[in-house]
Amino acid sequence: MSANTNSAQGEQIKAMLEQAVGAAVDGCLVDGTPEERLQKVMTTAKDNGMAIDKIFSYFNGGNPSTEAITKEEFLSGLEKLGHKLFVLTDAELDALVKRFDCNNDGLISLAEFQKYCFYDIPHVSWKAERARLEANGEMDKIRRKIREERKEEENISTSPVSCGDEVVCTSKLFWKTNTTIQIKLYYCEPLDIITVQIYSEADNKALPSIYVKKALCAIDGEFSGGDPSKNPKGEWDDYAKYLSSRLQLKTEANGSEQHTAFLRKQKGDNFETLTVPKPNNLLDPPAIVKDDDNCLADFEERAASFARTMRRTRQSAQKLESVVQAALGELDL
């Protein structure tokens, strides 16, 4: 294909996306985070008949044969759309690219772009097309391509990488089974991987760690500690709450009553899965010490708080029962 043809297609794609941006602006759909604005623009473009490969190729100058786009090309494409929709800081750009970049190679491939649109944009247009592609087997091809790209990147990145610093230590009580687990989070910034390390008091041993891509965690609202640049611990407290609320235990089917930890989607979650395979070059964190003073103190505090809540609940129930009985007694009269 000639350069002139590529250029003409690029201009055509740009015009279509600019029309989509105009529709988004006219429809007052420009609020929200940069990612939310991008999702609205791409959904508007799709609803106007623009194919996903056309949207993708726009970011590399309209070349339909492109295999991947760089962070710089991605930013340039966003800025060309104008309307001040995508004036991003470096941190916002990095976070946005990581939402697409499944294998952490710094590039966005077509398969990664497709996976993001079909699984992470919460709009019926994308969900409907995903269902169609699932039915004809095309989604299997996309997932297989992503696995191949991830494997290629892991083969390239063979140098050991630290799991990072411990960013939070907490615990969770499963009150129905009276099972307590200690939880430590470690963050590896180069791979954007959170290692969720778990120790089960009931099993008296560490459970297999869970690995999460940080960019996939949809932390809503303000950080509990205020400005994260001034209080990074507040940010990680939010990540701990986000992950621990989804953390569940299941009993092994072999009758041993041993547990395995996993993350369960909650209502409103748009991700396909938060967990990722452990990168081959990611080092393990230090083993959890059972009598870790900090985790033990945190657990005792949480257990005491839970006990107080249960006492208040029982007292409220008793008061409600007395009121109901009194009301029933008056009715009998």
Side-chain angles (χ1 to χ4, degrees), residues 68-69 101-109 112 149 153 156-157:
I69 52 180
D101 185 15
C102 296
N103 64 349
N104 299 299
D105 65 352
L107 303 173
I108 303 173
S109 70
E112 290 172 330
E149 291 172 353
E153 182 61 22
I156 294 172
S157 304

Side-chain angles (χ1 to χ4, degrees), residues 114-284:
Q114 291 170 322
K115 177 182 177 296
Y116 175 85
C117 291
F118 295 139
Y119 281 101
D120 294 328
I121 300 182
H123 193 276
V124 65
S125 297
W126 297 107
K127 293 179 180 179
E129 184 166 355
R130 185 181 81 192
R132 180 180 65 81
L133 295 177
E134 291 282 10
N136 64 21
E138 290 298 316
M139 282 305 303
D140 286 336
K141 295 179 181 179
I142 293 173
R143 286 190 285 263
R144 185 161 54 248
K145 179 64 175 175
I146 290 175
R147 286 195 297 268
E148 292 172 354
E149 291 172 353
R150 182 180 287 140
K151 186 174 181 180
E152 289 174 1
E153 182 61 22
E154 288 177 352
N155 289 337
I156 294 172
S157 304
T158 56
S159 299
V161 179
S162 169
C163 66
D165 295 331
E166 177 189 323
V167 290
V168 70
C169 173
T170 185
S171 59
K172 180 173 182 177
L173 171 65
F174 297 90
W175 61 272
K176 286 186 177 181
T177 59
N178 195 29
T179 302
T180 303
I181 58 172
Q182 295 181 12
I183 306 168
K184 287 189 177 184
L185 303 186
Y186 295 80
Y187 179 53
C188 174
E189 186 172 2
L191 300 181
D192 192 43
I193 295 292
I194 300 173
T195 299
V196 184
Q197 191 183 37
I198 306 159
Y199 186 93
S200 169
E201 297 283 354
D203 299 315
N204 196 26
K205 69 174 185 178
L207 304 183
S209 295
I210 296 174
Y211 303 93
V212 176
K213 191 173 176 64
K214 180 174 180 282
L216 296 179
C217 299
I219 307 297
D220 298 325
E222 297 182 357
F223 291 127
S224 60
D227 184 349
S229 63
K230 297 179 180 178
N231 185 5
K233 186 180 184 301
E235 174 187 7
W236 284 111
D237 284 344
D238 278 357
Y239 278 98
K241 293 174 184 176
Y242 179 86
L243 293 172
S244 64
S245 66
R246 290 159 176 78
L247 190 62
Q248 300 293 324
L249 293 181
K250 62 181 178 181
T251 304
E252 297 289 352
N254 57 13
S256 63
E257 297 187 357
Q258 298 292 302
H259 296 97
T260 301
F262 68 100
L263 294 176
R264 173 180 290 169
K265 290 177 66 172
Q266 294 185 351
K267 184 178 180 180
D269 287 340
N270 296 316
F271 53 78
E272 178 186 7
T273 177
L274 278 175
T275 57
V276 296
K278 179 188 177 184
N280 292 336
N281 57 333
L282 182 66
L283 298 177
D284 293 326

Side-chain angles (χ1 to χ4, degrees), residues 52-59 66-68 108-110 113:
I52 189 171
D53 59 329
K54 294 292 186 182
I55 301 175
F56 174 80
S57 64
Y58 161 76
F59 290 101
T66 184
E67 290 293 330
I108 303 173
S109 70
L110 176 58
F113 194 84

Side-chain angles (χ1 to χ4, degrees), residues 1-15 57-58 60-64 80:
M1 185 175 292
S2 68
N4 289 336
T5 302
N6 277 342
S7 177
Q9 286 190 347
E11 289 301 316
Q12 181 184 15
I13 294 169
K14 182 175 184 293
S57 64
Y58 161 76
N60 199 23
N63 182 0
K80 287 178 183 177

Side-chain angles (χ1 to χ4, degrees), residues 38-48 121 123 125-126:
L38 177 61
Q39 290 181 350
K40 291 168 184 175
V41 168
M42 293 198 298
T43 300
T44 304
K46 176 174 175 52
D47 289 343
N48 281 281
I121 300 182
H123 193 276
S125 297
W126 297 107

